Amino acid sequence: MDEQELRSLFSAAPPDAPSPTFTRDDVVRESRRQTVRRRNRITAGVSAAALVVAGFGAYGLTSGGTPGSLTAAKDNAAPARSGPGSAQPGDGPLRPEVGGESPNFSSQAPQQGGVGEEKTGQSAEGASGCEQVDGELAIALAGELPGHVDTARAVPGGACSTVSRSAGFPVEGGEVAAAVYPKGIPEVFKSQPAGTVTARAGTASGGVLVLVSVPAAGAAAPYAGEVDRFARRLAPRF
């Protein structure tokens, strides 16, 4: 083999490999990016599956609970009055009587001004009956009465019944009391002393708010000219 042939062979050999255009740090960064992308795809898939499962569970609870709730509501609903002999809510020995004394009330007129043996009933939100003062109604009524009224002195009041939310306050010259009757429930409470001023107003829930101003013996009904206004301002809150 002569020199010319050797020169030809070397000319035909492939050139040296080009220098790389990336470094080790580039490889590490790209590997990390690919790892993060895979994790994000896995996380998104798991979240979507959890949302689907939660959606089916919520649908099952909603569709499965509604009929039972409606049935319970129908079973617990009070029958509408269809005649003189029809039953009304609270029928029985504890049911208040219209225009007369009821077993729920003392035969004596309530003591005014917190004097005597009358006791303030316990306070509770949404309470009904003549044993407890409705806290929400007591606060609302105290805000309407002139001057400073101590809510701790609240009493169920003379307009209460076994089905109403009630609250009242002894004031100078008598007592001012309110009762909220639910929608469809007749206003039934004990007869009031002579000179009592009564006002009624429809509530926001479709019921009736009754407000009475009961005079003390030998006195005029307190705030007699303001009773209607008090009732109209209180009723929309219930």
Side-chain angles (χ1 to χ4, degrees), residues 120 133-134 137-138 141 145 149-159 166-171 175-179 212:
T120 301
V133 175
D134 182 80
L137 182 57
L141 179 58
L145 295 177
V149 179
D150 185 3
T151 56
R153 299 185 62 198
V155 295
S166 311
F169 291 98
V171 296
E175 177 190 81
V176 176
V212 296

Side-chain angles (χ1 to χ4, degrees), residues 24-38:
R24 178 180 178 277
D25 292 338
D26 295 332
V27 175
V28 172
R29 281 195 296 269
E30 182 62 24
S31 175
R32 289 176 179 174
R33 279 197 294 268
Q34 293 298 332
T35 301
V36 171
R37 289 176 183 173
R38 284 196 298 272

Side-chain angles (χ1 to χ4, degrees), residues 6 8 19 61 76-77 90 95 127-128 184 188 237:
L6 287 174
S8 298
S19 58
L61 290 175
N76 293 331
R95 180 176 177 270
S128 62
V188 181
R237 307 183 192 181

Side-chain angles (χ1 to χ4, degrees), residues 38-94:
R38 284 196 298 272
R39 288 177 181 174
N40 290 341
R41 285 197 293 269
I42 293 173
T43 301
V46 172
S47 300
L51 287 175
V52 171
V53 173
F56 277 111
Y59 173 77
L61 290 175
T62 304
S63 60
T66 301
S69 300
L70 292 177
T71 302
K74 291 180 181 178
D75 292 341
N76 293 331
R81 181 173 182 178
S82 58
S86 300
Q88 294 184 3
D91 278 344
L94 295 181

Side-chain angles (χ1 to χ4, degrees), residues 68-129:
S69 300
L70 292 177
T71 302
K74 291 180 181 178
D75 292 341
N76 293 331
R81 181 173 182 178
S82 58
S86 300
Q88 294 184 3
D91 278 344
L94 295 181
R95 180 176 177 270
E97 299 177 0
V98 180
E101 295 299 329
S102 164
N104 292 327
F105 300 100
S106 170
S107 58
Q108 297 179 351
Q111 301 290 332
Q112 306 298 335
V115 181
E117 297 181 356
E118 182 182 0
K119 296 181 180 180
T120 301
Q122 295 179 344
S123 178
E125 295 296 332
S128 62

